[in-house]
Amino acid sequence: MSGLDSVDLSTANAVAAGTNKSTKRIVAYGIGGKLMGTKSMTDVTAEELSKDSVAEMLAKDKKIKEKYAKQKHISEQPWTLENWHKHINWLNFILVLAVPVGGLVSTRWVPLTWNTFVTAIILYCFGGLSITAGYHRHWAHRAYDCKAPLKIFFALFGASAIEGSIKMWGHQHRVHHRYTDTPRDPYDAKRGFWYSHMGWMLLVPNPRYKARADISDLLDDWVVRAQHRHYLLLMVFMAFFFPAILTHYLFNDFWGGFIYAGLLRAAFIQQATFCVNSLAHWIGEQPFDDRRTPRDHILTALVTFGEGYHNFHHEFPSDYRNALKWYQYDPTKVVIYCMSKVGLAFNLKKFSQNAIDQGILQQQQKKIDRMRAKLNWGPQLSELPVWDKSTFFEKAKEQKGLVIISGIVHDCANFLTEHPGGQALLRTSFGKDATMAFNGGVYAHSNAAHNMLATLRVAVIRDGGANGDTFDAQLRFIKFIYDLS
Amino acid sequence: MSGLDSVDLSTANAVAAGTNKSTKRIVAYGIGGKLMGTKSMTDVTAEELSKDSVAEMLAKDKKIKEKYAKQKHISEQPWTLENWHKHINWLNFILVLAVPVGGLVSTRWVPLTWNTFVTAIILYCFGGLSITAGYHRHWAHRAYDCKAPLKIFFALFGASAIEGSIKMWGHQHRVHHRYTDTPRDPYDAKRGFWYSHMGWMLLVPNPRYKARADISDLLDDWVVRAQHRHYLLLMVFMAFFFPAILTHYLFNDFWGGFIYAGLLRAAFIQQATFCVNSLAHWIGEQPFDDRRTPRDHILTALVTFGEGYHNFHHEFPSDYRNALKWYQYDPTKVVIYCMSKVGLAFNLKKFSQNAIDQGILQQQQKKIDRMRAKLNWGPQLSELPVWDKSTFFEKAKEQKGLVIISGIVHDCANFLTEHPGGQALLRTSFGKDATMAFNGGVYAHSNAAHNMLATLRVAVIRDGGANGDTFDAQLRFIKFIYDLS
Ligand code: HEM
Ligand code: HEM
Ligand SMILES: [Fe+2]
Ligand SMILES: [Fe+2]
Ligand SMILES: [Fe+2]
Ligand SMILES: [Fe+2]
């Protein structure tokens, strides 16, 4: 629309990427910031992202293509015996593999006691809920606000899940929502189940598809900053030593706590929450919109503390709920709700029921439309030949079975033996106008009968007042008679 | 449609009423023909019925009204202490009342034995199924054909149900289908639960609403003729003495059989099958059409050997099935199917799945349409004022929050704090055209976001290329970019 001031895409993308503000960099000690992250994917300026207006994007694409025509990035090269080790993000590889394998192997020497098992389950729930209620719904989506004690709890036990810092996780997750199902989506479900489950973090990503999202609100949160700075320390302590020390003091079982409530518990949380990126984009229903990959499935919900209603979640991301119905499993929602009752959570956000119902309705409409296209509704009136009355007389003489109803000619020859009202009545109508008889003069036919009638259409009578919605015409005719009498 | 030969309604109604043929009258001995019947309701000629063309019907109605203005028929008079006995059809009254009351009272003297109880249950099933599979689906609806042995079984045990002869029952039932929900319907559900359950047979009917249906096919069946002729005898024997003699020979319990397997069993069958006229037009779902009273309900199915899917049945009366799904309860269908496997039944009729699915779909569409009408979809473009670009500039200066997307002006002031993508981005768009930004330039919004957007509409920009289906426009825009690159 020329003449109108359009939103400047460069500026807007800078806002969306958070690069318009000069926030001071928050640096993690050691390798903490890189853990479980794909930092190299998000190292891009807003200016680069905003070159996506149609013309510039094509130019940029061409330039990148040319560049990689000569020398392709490792992620674009096939796997060979020489280069396979370059494909892999070894830091993440070790961390995601060392934890479960280390845990499994160590079970040979240390038996699992009942007490330690219960501790592991409790810490599993603490870690899992800190990811779902904390990392995801509170920080990544701002679905509700939190008091400091709860934030600190989430930050500590979230670290125990070994999925990266809040800052890293929240950023990646916002990028995932902003670019769902595109190559910029860090866990792009279109690249297959394994890629979205773990591949994205085990492989070196393609720098062509860098992306950013604004996380200035996260950086304003001291809990987020502190956790990111000390992430490595916190993670190692909360994931392994805290459980070990706990079981040591309670049940004198240091190594049991380290292995079962530490290593193995963390491995389980990892796999469970990775399912939100894989399973939740792979199996289930799409009650709200089916044009993107997210899906609702009870199985995903069961392994992810209720994050399985993912079709809803992508349509209504800042809703503190994932499941709407009481019979759907969403313990995270329940925890948030309870926290709000004790004053630790507030400003719980909900989308309007109107917007939610609109989505459900539009999906149902699509289903019905698909079914409608599969059924035989008979020809449209516009597809039929137009006959003069004289043509009808002639044809009806040669060919038994032609009946006019509502100005439309029907061929009832094959329906004769099937007519529930008997053959005799249909026969008396052959070659005649049976509008009155069919619509109540003899019998006011059901809606089903009108549907069947439409499949028998062969022609339209010129100036015969043809009306395709014959059942509606009948209803109005009957009402007319009733109103008269 | 002048110039075209219309079906002559007199002739056609004569055919539909079966009065065009001179079938010899089949007279029942004694009062057999009148039992459970409303003979006076069907005593009408086709000529009388065919006077239903609009003009003649009005004239006839007027004449009848004039007649009853002077002296009203008993059924149109209020109940008084003097006339109450005239309202009642005493023959039916005694029969429907004497049987259960007689049975109940007699239980004082005769204990119920386990053997007799089992016999009563078996005879109950024989009687009930003879009504549903025999009287109803075979004779009244011609949903399948029967070999003689099965017909004789149905005729005998059908008589034991004390619901009138096949001829009487079949005729009334056809009239019920032909005139469903009108005053001519013998068990007109619009007159309330009790009228359709038993009232219609206990009260003297109104002669204004006589009706007929063709039963010439029934009269051609020697089993039907024989049963009608000897109905009184057959009924009394099959209902009372056969059970009594049976239990006498088997368990030496004549009176137990007479009371429990006779009187009480018959009363139960009566009540159960009466439910098809009352309950089945009263409780349940209407998956196929909701413009008439018949309904589908598992409860009705349970008490009527599967005749409870009555919404289906009225749309597809000559289908040998009442329930379509394997998990729905329709033992009558199963019996018919098994009889066909042993060669006693054949020509089982089904309506096309196409016609059935059409009905289901149209009903679902109606539900969706009703829901759609309740939701807020924002104003239609045609309901909005048209603004010049200059008007937009001026208004946008005074009033913060106006954003153009797809040529439509939206007021986003109140949405600012609710925007899941943050306030900053929305603020940069105030007073501007954000079409590109909203549709992928910054973020390709979900379908849900487009629904919310529509509710914020305030005006249309003149020559702005307004497109009400903004999400569709976005999808096409994104596809266009993908196709280019
Ligand atoms: C020309 C195409 C026709 C079709 C497709 C058709 C279809 C049907 C169907 C599906 C029924 C079952 C009941 C219902 O669904 O309402 C039925 C019953 C009946 N039809 Fe037709 N019919 C046709 C023509 C006629 C004509 C021309 C007459 C009258 C002259 C007629 C008279 C009746 C009667 C009396 C019944 C029996 C009602 C009952 O016992 O349920 N039909 N017809
Ligand atoms: C004018 C009315 C607007 C409405 C009703 C609206 C609505 C929404 C909604 C419902 C979401 C949640 C995600 C989704 O459903 O797709 C969202 C997210 C977002 N919106 Fe808007 N929006 C509007 C304007 C804008 C504008 C003008 C921009 C950019 C300049 C923008 C950028 C974003 C971004 C970046 C997200 C975050 C994506 C995410 O993390 O899921 N929005 N918006
Ligand atoms: Fe997702
Ligand atoms: Fe999310
Ligand atoms: Fe009925
Ligand atoms: Fe029926």
Side-chain angles (χ1 to χ4, degrees), chain A residues 10 60-61 64 147 202 250 340 359 371 402 405 450 456:
Chain A
S10 285
K60 183 185 152 198
D61 252 28
I64 297 183
K147 289 274 168 66
L202 298 181
L250 291 176
S340 80
M371 188 172 153
L402 299 184
I405 291 169
H450 284 264
L456 306 176

Side-chain angles (χ1 to χ4, degrees), chain A residues 1-9 11-13 15-16 49-50 52-54 57-58 61 65 141 177-179 181-183 214 288-289 291-292 314-318 349-355 357-362 364-365 368-369 371-372 374-378 389 392-393 404 406-407 417-420 424-425 428-429 431-437 440-449 451-452 455 461 463-465 471 475 477 480-482 484-485, chain B residues 1-9 11-13 15-16 49-50 52-54 57-58 61 65 141 177-183 214 288-289 291-292 314-318 349 351-355 357-362 364-365 368-369 371-372 374-378 389 392-393 404 406-407 415 417-420 424-425 428-429 431-437 440-449 451-452 455 461 463-465 471 475 477 480-482 484-485:
Chain A
M1 258 167 76
S2 61
L4 268 180
D5 220 10
S6 272
V7 171
D8 180 58
L9 292 185
T11 319
N13 270 305
V15 175
L49 285 174
S50 65
D52 279 2
S53 69
V54 185
M57 191 173 105
L58 293 177
D61 252 28
K65 265 182 200 145
H141 290 301
H177 273 269
R178 191 171 166 197
Y179 295 107
D181 293 343
T182 74
D214 179 22
F288 302 94
D289 192 51
R291 283 161 291 204
R292 300 192 297 188
H314 269 265
E315 291 291 295
F316 306 101
S318 50
K349 282 196 205 131
K350 279 185 187 184
F351 279 78
S352 74
Q353 194 60 39
N354 188 66
D357 288 342
Q358 282 177 310
I360 295 173
L361 185 139
Q362 287 161 328
Q364 286 178 346
Q365 184 64 62
I368 286 193
D369 289 344
M371 188 172 153
R372 179 178 287 113
K374 281 192 209 136
L375 297 176
N376 173 16
W377 298 89
K389 285 170 194 173
F392 175 75
F393 284 133
I404 297 176
S406 283
T417 54
E418 286 179 40
H419 184 221
L425 273 171
T428 51
S429 309
K432 297 196 184 130
D433 184 338
T435 309
M436 284 282 278
V442 174
Y443 172 56
H445 281 79
S446 70
N447 177 49
N451 286 334
M452 288 178 229
T455 64
I461 295 290
D463 305 324
F471 188 56
L475 288 180
F477 173 70
F480 169 72
I481 297 183
Y482 268 100
L484 277 182
S485 61
Chain B
M1 257 168 76
S2 61
L4 269 180
D5 220 10
S6 273
V7 172
D8 180 61
L9 292 184
T11 318
N13 270 307
V15 175
L49 286 175
S50 64
D52 279 0
S53 69
V54 187
M57 191 173 106
L58 293 177
D61 253 27
K65 267 182 201 145
H141 290 299
H177 275 267
R178 193 173 164 193
Y179 295 106
T180 311
D181 293 342
T182 73
D214 178 23
F288 302 96
D289 192 52
R291 283 163 288 207
R292 300 192 296 189
H314 268 265
E315 290 291 294
F316 307 101
S318 51
K349 282 197 205 131
F351 278 79
S352 75
Q353 194 59 39
N354 188 67
D357 288 341
Q358 283 178 310
I360 295 174
L361 186 139
Q362 287 161 327
Q364 287 179 344
Q365 185 63 64
I368 287 193
D369 289 344
M371 189 172 152
R372 180 178 287 114
K374 279 191 211 139
L375 295 176
N376 173 16
W377 299 88
K389 286 168 196 175
F392 175 74
F393 285 132
I404 297 177
S406 284
F415 189 68
T417 54
E418 286 181 40
H419 183 221
L425 273 170
T428 52
S429 309
K432 298 197 184 128
D433 183 339
T435 309
M436 285 280 279
V442 173
Y443 171 56
H445 281 78
S446 70
N447 177 51
N451 286 334
M452 288 177 229
T455 62
I461 296 290
D463 304 325
F471 188 57
L475 288 178
F477 174 70
F480 168 72
I481 297 184
Y482 269 101
L484 278 182
S485 60

Side-chain angles (χ1 to χ4, degrees), chain B residues 176-198:
Chain B
H176 165 62
H177 275 267
R178 193 173 164 193
Y179 295 106
T180 311
D181 293 342
T182 73
R184 284 206 180 117
D185 179 351
Y187 356 109
D188 184 9
K190 298 234 165 161
R191 297 188 60 179
F193 183 87
W194 280 109
Y195 186 82
S196 61
H197 192 69
M198 293 174 69

Side-chain angles (χ1 to χ4, degrees), chain A residues 371-388:
Chain A
M371 188 172 153
R372 179 178 287 113
K374 281 192 209 136
L375 297 176
N376 173 16
W377 298 89
Q380 293 287 308
L381 296 191
S382 56
E383 296 165 22
L384 294 173
V386 179
W387 290 359
D388 287 317

Side-chain angles (χ1 to χ4, degrees), chain A residues 136 141 173 177 310 313:
Chain A
H136 186 220
H141 290 301
H173 193 74
H177 273 269
H310 208 58
H313 175 64

Side-chain angles (χ1 to χ4, degrees), chain B residues 276 278-301 307-316 322-323 325 327-328 359-360 363-364 366-367 370:
Chain B
V276 180
S278 52
L279 216 55
H281 285 257
W282 201 55
I283 54 161
E285 299 286 302
Q286 306 192 295
F288 302 96
D289 192 52
D290 65 0
R291 283 163 288 207
R292 300 192 296 189
T293 55
R295 289 163 182 273
D296 283 5
H297 202 289
I298 175 73
L299 209 76
T300 322
E307 300 280 28
Y309 305 95
H310 208 58
N311 192 255
F312 174 83
H313 174 65
H314 268 265
E315 290 291 294
F316 307 101
N322 240 7
K325 300 273 162 59
Y327 55 81
Q328 290 173 324
I360 295 174
Q363 268 311 110
Q364 287 179 344
K366 268 191 251 174
K367 252 192 218 159
R370 274 194 288 266

